[in-house]
């Protein structure tokens, strides 16, 4: 079973955009790719339906098979930490169900891209004053982590904090993808600092697209992904999936 | 020597606002308070002068003695990580000078509020491929840390990452101040989650003021500080300073 669990240094670093790009680029290379986003909070309402918009975007963009409600079994309307949204909406996050769904997906696809919910230290549920954290789910289903970050002010701190947390909790953080890259000199200084301090490979630098997700110009996205997930990046990324 | 080193879970969580409030509230209680912000990037230019606007705000608001250029010896115009701004502006951050200045301040005041630059894992300087990090300066001058956070989405992750980093690097994180508090139910769930997970005391919850720093209404600020840094909060905060 080959998969990678994608988390972010913060909310809104573009995990969904990167997952869509990864799935699309790997499919373009002929790989048989699955996608899984077990938990999503801040879902959009369309009439009576609650739409897991991240899942919908990735499935449509990268032409991934699968029913969005199976690929995202736990959907909450409130844009809050999952453990708060779940308790407010009286939904119990069934970890066994998540594991089962992932197990099934792993049988059907060569590689599965798993999109997390925020960062490593996000509480997924709270039961009898005990938290079940995203990093625990990672260790139980796929301890093969790719971290999405950006180059904005504060990113070095958040990236180094995340890397240290991963070390402290036995998580295998295999690579970093820098999103929203504007190809400016200072950005490379930030990226070099992160690479030097962490010794974790920078897998790809993905160009900034200023109108995502409001204006989805698929061709523009595909050109960015073609450029940024080139053969060299794909090779590094496959190295992460392979182990 | 009694002091506390104030860091944030992110940029723009309001460290300066909180430091100003702390200095003012403690002075109102009759304490002899000093303030020190050794490094500042993103300074404002006023004519030919580069103004450390955080230091200027705290000194003016809380009527702190001292020349702003002595209280902030290392000032950079570029709003970037200090090690990048320093190398770009050809200024060497002299750690010995920081220590000396802090030593002097400690002799003259009962308590010194030290404002950090961003979070714990911020590189202050880079020399021969080695980084000197903010957490190292903290351990060398004042290993007595107060963390400023907010309740916005992503805060739980950043707060827990910071707390774990502090543990891993031997930092004494004594208390958390929640800033930009809107007294909404979900915020208390976030705060309770942080308190339960970290076992670190919540020292105060400071009300959100939407027009800081653009519109400085000192009386409005003082009312917030009077309310939020009440006797109970001050007692907890003094407990942090005392150790």
């Amino acid at each position: 079973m080959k998969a990678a669990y994608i988390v972010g240094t913060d909310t809104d670093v573009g995990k969904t955009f990167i997952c869509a790009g990864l799935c699309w680029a790997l499919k373009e290379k002929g790989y048989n790719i699955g996608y899984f986003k077990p938990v999503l909070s801040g879902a959009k309402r369309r009439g009576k339906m609650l739409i897991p918009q991240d899942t919908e975007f990735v499935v449509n963009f990268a032409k991934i098979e699968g029913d969005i409600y199976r690929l995202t079994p736990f959907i909450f309307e409130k844009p809050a930490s999952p453990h708060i949204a779940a308790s407010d909406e009286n939904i119990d996050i069934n970890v066994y169900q998540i594991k089962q769904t992932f197990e099934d997906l792993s049988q059907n696809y060569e590689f599965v891209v798993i999109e997390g919910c925020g960062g490593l230290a996000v509480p997924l549920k709270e039961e009898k004053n005990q938290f079940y954290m995203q990093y625990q789910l990672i260790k139980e289903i796929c301890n093969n982590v790719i971290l999405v970050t950006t180059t904005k002010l504060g990113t070095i701190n958040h990236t180094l904090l995340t890397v240290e947390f991963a070390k402290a909790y036995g998580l295998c953080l295999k690579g970093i993808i820098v999103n929203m890259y504007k190809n400016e000199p200072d950005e490379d200084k930030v990226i070099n600092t992160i690479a030097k301090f962490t010794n974790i490979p920078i897998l790809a630098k993905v160009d900034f697209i200023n109108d995502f997700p409001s204006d989805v110009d698929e061709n523009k996205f595909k050109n960015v992904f073609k450029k940024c997930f080139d053969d060299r990046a794909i090779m590094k990324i496959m190295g992460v999936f392979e182990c």
Side-chain angles (χ1 to χ4, degrees), chain A residues 143-164:
Chain A
N143 192 0
N144 212 20
V145 180
I146 292 177
L147 177 62
V148 177
T149 187
T150 67
T151 57
K152 72 179 174 73
L153 192 60
T155 275
I156 293 174
N157 179 54
H158 288 155
T159 307
L160 303 191
L161 294 178
T162 303
V163 167
E164 288 301 327

Side-chain angles (χ1 to χ4, degrees), chain A residues 151-221:
Chain A
T151 57
K152 72 179 174 73
L153 192 60
T155 275
I156 293 174
N157 179 54
H158 288 155
T159 307
L160 303 191
L161 294 178
T162 303
V163 167
E164 288 301 327
F165 188 92
K167 255 192 253 169
Y169 282 83
L171 293 156
C172 304
L173 210 166
K174 299 282 177 55
I176 293 171
I177 293 177
V178 178
N179 191 26
M180 305 186 191
Y181 181 64
K182 294 177 186 160
N183 204 358
E184 287 167 5
D186 280 347
E187 291 183 289
D188 291 321
K189 290 175 192 165
V190 170
I191 295 166
N192 293 340
T193 299
I194 288 169
K196 265 191 231 172
F197 194 96
T198 65
N199 284 320
I200 293 172
I202 307 292
L203 304 175
K205 295 186 275 193
V206 179
D207 291 354
F208 178 77
I209 292 187
N210 59 16
D211 41 23
F212 177 80
S214 53
D215 162 25
V216 179
D217 172 345
E218 294 215 352
N219 288 326
K220 187 158 70 168
F221 291 8

Side-chain angles (χ1 to χ4, degrees), chain A residues 38-118:
Chain A
V39 177
L40 180 147
S41 61
K44 299 293 172 229
R45 190 160 280 282
R46 210 176 285 155
K48 284 202 178 119
M49 297 292 288
L50 209 48
I51 309 294
Q53 68 274 24
D54 295 353
T55 324
E56 188 183 50
F57 174 73
V58 175
V59 161
N60 292 341
F61 181 82
K63 309 287 183 280
I64 299 283
E65 293 158 16
D67 166 61
I68 56 175
Y69 294 97
R70 182 160 172 270
L71 302 182
T72 300
F74 297 99
I75 304 166
F76 308 108
E77 193 160 8
K78 176 171 275 187
S81 175
H83 78 300
I84 291 174
S87 103
D88 280 13
E89 295 171 34
N90 282 314
I91 298 169
D92 174 46
I93 292 183
N94 183 324
V95 176
Y96 177 76
Q97 183 187 337
I98 291 177
K99 291 179 184 174
Q100 276 312 109
T101 308
F102 176 63
E103 202 50 51
D104 297 347
L105 288 172
S106 316
Q107 310 304 325
N108 299 325
Y109 297 101
E110 231 176 321
F111 300 103
V112 179
V113 172
I114 311 164
E115 181 175 348
C117 189

